[in-house]
Amino acid sequence: MKPARFEYVAPHSVDQALELLGRYGDGAKLLAGGQSLVPLMNMRLARPSHVIDLNRLPGLAYITEADGGVRIGAMTRQATAESSEMIRARYPIVTEALELLGHPAIRNRGTVGGSLAHADPAAELPVVVLALDAQLTLTGPRGRRTVPACDFFVGYLHTVAAPDEILTEVCLPAPPARTGSCFLEVARRHGDFALVAVAAVLALHSDGRCARARLVFGGVGPTPMRVERAEAVLVGHRPEPELFAAAAREVSAVLQPESDLHASADYRAQVASVLTRRALGMAFERVSGRERA
């Protein structure tokens, strides 16, 4: 299929892009990697009057250290982030998730910011940034504002970004000491959107008890879903299989996935429970293994 008629514009600065976005209003769509927008346009599920191409904007593709964490420009290609040794060393969960995101051809064009702004609840990156307590920077005519990941995703394919704002940066905070993490998903085929995905992060006290936990799921609701009740089960206790099983039971009690043509609600709930135990076990093994090394 072919897209409906539209006008293409390619601004050369963020200010110019914002001016065009304000001028064309709801009829405009931003083009980053195009891996989500272009198929929607080809199927005529999206019919923008204007496409604003962000690929010529300078200074939005970078990975840099800052305040102990890492800042990632929104136009950074997913493949660039996947191959970054800085990200692999500090946030291996991000690398794990990116390796499961689509296929190499998609990651070569897809951008970090594009995936987050698209806000598909079955996508990998929204799950990970929520698990890592990332901060997302939105730039608009009123200036810049920073939004925590927990407030960014508000509904299916919908974020807190105003129609005249552009996502320009993602900031991953410095991970706590003695932290292990794991990203797992089940999909029909490698590269497909996840039927269920989980990001698990564990930080331990010096005595081995769990100091902090994050459990975030994709594919089980209209947004990435953090299960705080399951996290509370873990905090203050020594990680062990029985504890992970108790957290998994809380996950099953809290999540209420829906059925669709790909999987039933019961199947998704069961998979989420199994992945919880596996991801927590692997996260604990990784932090324990680093301490023994």
Side-chain angles (χ1 to χ4, degrees):
M1 296 182 67
K2 300 296 182 183
R5 181 181 294 273
F6 64 92
E7 290 194 28
Y8 170 86
V9 287
H12 292 273
S13 70
V14 172
D15 287 343
Q16 187 181 7
L18 292 172
E19 189 275 327
L20 291 169
L21 197 56
R23 182 193 310 173
Y24 299 128
D26 293 340
K29 288 289 186 181
L30 298 173
L31 174 69
Q35 303 305 292
S36 299
L37 176 61
V38 171
L40 289 175
M41 291 175 61
N42 284 341
M43 292 185 287
R44 301 206 175 191
L45 297 174
R47 301 168 67 100
S49 61
H50 292 79
V51 171
I52 302 172
D53 188 349
L54 303 180
N55 283 276
R56 299 184 187 181
L57 301 187
L60 289 186
Y62 55 84
I63 301 173
T64 61
E65 297 180 78
D67 302 322
V70 171
R71 296 185 180 274
I72 305 173
M75 289 298 294
T76 302
R77 304 294 171 186
Q78 294 157 2
T80 301
E82 178 188 5
S83 63
S84 167
E85 289 302 324
M86 184 187 306
I87 290 178
R88 184 180 297 273
R90 297 192 179 196
Y91 311 96
I93 190 173
V94 175
T95 306
E96 281 187 320
L98 286 166
E99 290 171 347
L100 295 171
L101 194 162
H103 302 282
I106 290 174
R107 298 195 294 271
N108 283 337
R109 288 300 302 168
T111 63
V112 171
S115 178
L116 297 174
H118 185 56
D120 191 308
E124 290 81 4
L125 288 181
V127 174
V128 170
V129 297
L130 182 53
L132 293 176
D133 295 326
Q135 301 283 322
L136 290 83
T137 299
L138 296 168
T139 302
R142 295 163 297 281
R144 292 160 57 95
R145 65 184 177 115
T146 299
V147 179
C150 60
D151 295 332
F152 186 75
F153 306 102
V154 296
Y156 181 71
L157 303 183
H158 186 50
T159 74
V160 74
D164 58 356
E165 289 182 313
I166 298 173
L167 176 63
T168 52
E169 184 180 81
V170 180
C171 180
L172 304 178
R178 297 166 57 85
T179 296
S181 63
C182 180
F183 183 90
L184 296 174
E185 72 175 31
V186 169
R188 295 179 66 191
R189 295 163 298 189
H190 178 78
D192 283 4
F193 281 107
L195 298 176
V196 181
V198 60
V201 181
L202 288 178
L204 304 183
H205 287 296
S206 58
D207 63 2
R209 291 179 298 112
C210 180
R212 179 176 174 274
R214 288 289 184 272
L215 282 170
V216 181
F217 297 83
V220 294
T223 66
M225 306 293 291
R226 178 182 168 195
V227 184
E228 296 183 50
R229 275 174 48 181
E231 296 170 359
V233 168
L234 300 165
V235 174
H237 300 281
R238 295 183 181 278
E240 56 185 19
E242 292 78 7
L243 187 66
F244 301 154
R249 288 193 292 271
E250 288 297 326
V251 167
S252 296
V254 170
L255 293 182
Q256 296 182 328
E258 295 184 355
S259 299
D260 58 25
L261 59 86
H262 300 297
S264 69
D266 288 343
Y267 175 81
R268 282 192 163 95
Q270 179 64 22
V271 170
S273 177
V274 172
L275 291 185
T276 298
R277 297 196 301 273
R278 291 179 182 173
L280 288 173
M282 293 177 70
F284 177 59
E285 287 179 7
R286 288 169 179 176
V287 66
S288 300
R290 284 197 298 272
E291 291 178 353
R292 290 193 297 266

